[in-house]
Amino acid sequence: MLAIKFKPMSNNLKKFVVSLKDRTKRKETGLFIAEGYKICEELLASSLSTEFVVLSANAREQSIELAKAFHRKGIDVYLARRSQFVQLCETETPQDILAVVRYSNEPPKIDYPIIVLDGISDPGNLGTIIRTADWFGYRTIVTSPDSVDKYNPKVIRGSMGSFFRVNVIQNRQLSDFIGAKKKEAKIFAGTLSGKIPLSQISFPKKSIVIFGNESRGIRPEILSFADFEFKIEGKGFAESLNVAISAGIVLYKYFLSQNESK
């Protein structure tokens, strides 16, 4: 039962939320969509500012209780008809709660290891890399200007709430960023033609690991900064590994290297 009477969602508000699926509109407004129970639960505990919440009329009890928690913090909650709510989401089977959130104004904190993504275009891959980094306790991802927008709803959804704990620093000129770090860090690049097997790599604490675009790999001008070019060994016949899978394997190897050095 809804003990609190939430505001009905207007068509104008529905159109506004739908417009935030577009990167240009997100940049213009400084707002993005966080969809799903788990993600909204993580949002509630984060330092980001929630503009408002939208709850589906057929929401589960746990989602209703979560919406009430936002309401108690003074955040507006709107109740949408199921037909309206479905239009707000990109998934075929959407969940029953979402939030509209303001971009973070906090200066990004940069901790090692630094994961550098050169032209990652698939939002699912970026979301998975964020989630994997969070699993291992790593906090810094840097992306090139031509990478997918970190505020893309599919990225947020794929991160499963880890988005709120990992610093994704986007739109960086990678040559400038990596060049400025080269004196203090070792630079590693994962490629299909790498001469060093990953199993032989021992990552120092201050490591930067570069992963490339899903089809073309790492651009030559970025690859030229690498101190070590490695490959992930395998015995099968697949042409290559998915970049998010590759990142997971490498981050685990970094994790092992740090434990071995203790």
Side-chain angles (χ1 to χ4, degrees):
M1 296 292 291
L2 286 171
I4 301 170
K5 188 173 177 61
F6 297 132
K7 302 176 181 179
M9 184 180 203
S10 68
N11 280 328
N12 283 340
L13 188 60
K14 182 203 73 176
K15 290 176 183 177
F16 176 74
V17 176
V18 170
S19 75
L20 296 178
K21 295 179 184 180
D22 180 74
R23 182 172 188 164
T24 301
K25 189 66 174 181
R26 291 195 297 269
K27 188 174 181 180
E28 176 189 316
T29 61
L31 300 173
F32 67 96
I33 300 168
E35 178 192 337
Y37 178 84
K38 174 62 177 174
I39 294 167
C40 288
E41 184 181 44
E42 296 281 0
L43 169 64
L44 185 65
S46 78
S47 61
L48 289 183
S49 174
T50 303
E51 293 294 297
F52 59 87
V53 170
V54 181
L55 186 69
S56 176
N58 68 337
R60 298 162 298 165
E61 187 60 34
Q62 65 174 358
S63 296
I64 294 171
E65 292 303 316
L66 182 57
K68 289 178 180 178
F70 279 102
H71 188 270
R72 287 193 291 270
K73 292 182 71 172
I75 296 163
D76 287 335
V77 178
Y78 295 91
L79 190 64
R81 299 188 305 275
R82 183 63 180 174
S83 59
Q84 286 181 312
F85 192 86
V86 167
Q87 294 176 58
L88 308 180
C89 307
E90 293 187 334
T91 52
E92 291 184 8
T93 55
Q95 296 190 40
D96 50 15
I97 187 169
L98 64 79
V100 170
V101 190
R102 186 157 296 281
Y103 284 15
S104 173
N105 291 320
E106 295 181 10
K109 186 178 180 182
I110 298 177
D111 295 317
Y112 287 101
I114 299 171
I115 304 158
V116 169
L117 304 178
D118 179 22
I120 298 301
S121 59
D122 186 280
N125 282 336
L126 179 54
T128 300
I129 292 170
I130 293 170
R131 185 178 179 183
T132 305
D134 185 32
W135 172 260
F136 289 113
Y138 309 144
R139 294 285 172 261
T140 308
I141 296 173
V142 177
T143 69
S144 60
D146 60 340
S147 290
V148 63
D149 179 24
K150 70 176 183 178
Y151 296 112
N152 182 299
K154 292 180 181 178
V155 173
I156 308 294
R157 200 163 56 245
S159 77
M160 289 299 292
S162 294
F163 178 87
F164 303 112
R165 290 184 293 272
V166 176
N167 295 315
V168 181
I169 305 162
Q170 65 179 6
N171 300 325
R172 289 297 177 100
Q173 294 299 329
L174 298 186
S175 56
D176 294 339
F177 178 85
I178 298 171
K181 298 288 183 183
K182 195 163 175 61
K183 287 184 178 180
E184 68 178 37
K186 290 296 183 184
I187 318 297
F188 299 84
T191 69
L192 291 173
S193 59
K195 303 302 181 186
I196 308 172
L198 177 62
S199 60
Q200 295 179 17
I201 296 283
S202 181
F203 292 101
K205 169 65 178 174
K206 290 188 174 181
S207 291
I208 295 174
V209 186
I210 308 170
F211 298 96
N213 174 269
E214 292 87 345
S215 59
R216 63 166 166 74
I218 302 169
R219 279 173 282 211
E221 62 269 27
I222 304 303
L223 187 59
S224 67
F225 284 95
D227 298 304
F228 304 96
E229 191 176 335
F230 66 86
K231 64 179 177 181
I232 299 172
E233 312 98 305
K235 290 185 177 180
F237 299 99
E239 183 181 354
S240 63
L241 278 174
N242 172 276
V243 66
I245 297 296
S246 298
I249 293 169
V250 174
L251 292 179
Y252 180 57
K253 184 64 168 70
Y254 178 92
F255 175 81
L256 293 177
S257 295
Q258 299 313 298
N259 285 344
E260 291 167 358
S261 65
K262 290 181 181 178

